[in-house]
Amino acid sequence: MRKPTRPATTQKKLVRCAVYPRVSTDDQARGEYSSIESQRDICEHYISVHKEDGWAATHYFEDPGYSGKDLNRPGIQELLAEVRAGNIDMVVVYKIDRIARSLREFYEFWRVLEDHGVNFVSATQNFDTSTPMGMLMLNMLLSFAQFEREMTAERTFHKLAERAKRGKWNGGWVPLGYAYEKATQLLQPHPDEDELLKSMYQLAVKLRNGTEVAKSLN
């Protein structure tokens, strides 16, 4: 009698995990995060728990001594470059705020991951976008981030419009023939460029051709 053969075990697909720790100078001063090494160890342990699912730590990036106010950090930019190159399947961090302090910055980070099919995990906050619950939590966070962006844009628009109503300059290149007065925040005629400006208008009326006006002024 033949013995029943065991079914062949299907090998799990390799999930390439990138570990990213960050410690700012302020964090170290307050003692909130002991070190880059401790964050990395926690992330590696989380990955090892999912070893049966094919998870493996294949990439390491870090930003010691960098603030989380924005994404202008060498380590995270290297991480994003590898994401865009298709070399990473999962990003694992100690906490979400290791990526960014603000939802707006995290939203920009997540957009890159989403565009390249990469999941995100916070090892200490039960936050995993490869699960339905994790995606629900992410969508809630991103909704608040989008709301914050829109509110900021609306406030900025109304502020600039109100300044313009008062005749104040909202910044940018100062037009030829004018000078910006910091005290009043207004544009005033520039005494050294006044004659040049008048010549430009006179030539425009006479020649009625922008190229010819430029040639004449040159």
Side-chain angles (χ1 to χ4, degrees), residues 82-122:
E82 289 297 307
V83 167
R84 294 185 179 100
N87 298 328
I88 293 173
D89 303 308
M90 183 87 67
V91 175
V92 183
V93 299
Y94 173 69
K95 283 187 177 181
I96 295 175
D97 66 2
R98 298 300 86 197
I99 296 296
R101 290 287 191 183
S102 73
L103 286 176
R104 182 171 58 185
E105 292 295 331
F106 181 79
Y107 176 75
E108 296 299 328
F109 173 80
W110 169 250
R111 284 180 59 186
V112 179
L113 268 59
E114 186 179 33
D115 289 344
H116 295 83
V118 177
N119 286 312
F120 175 81
V121 169
S122 171

Side-chain angles (χ1 to χ4, degrees), residues 14-68:
L14 175 66
V15 179
R16 300 164 297 176
C17 299
V19 175
Y20 175 77
R22 177 185 67 81
V23 179
S24 71
T25 305
D26 291 339
D27 290 334
Q28 292 172 327
R30 290 193 297 264
E32 289 188 20
Y33 303 93
S34 57
S35 67
I36 288 287
E37 288 75 18
S38 64
Q39 291 183 44
R40 186 166 57 212
D41 290 344
I42 291 171
C43 292
E44 287 179 338
H45 175 72
Y46 190 92
I47 292 170
S48 68
V49 171
H50 293 80
K51 184 178 180 180
E52 295 299 321
D53 297 321
W55 291 28
T58 58
H59 294 75
Y60 294 89
F61 308 92
E62 62 183 45
D63 279 317
Y66 282 88
S67 169

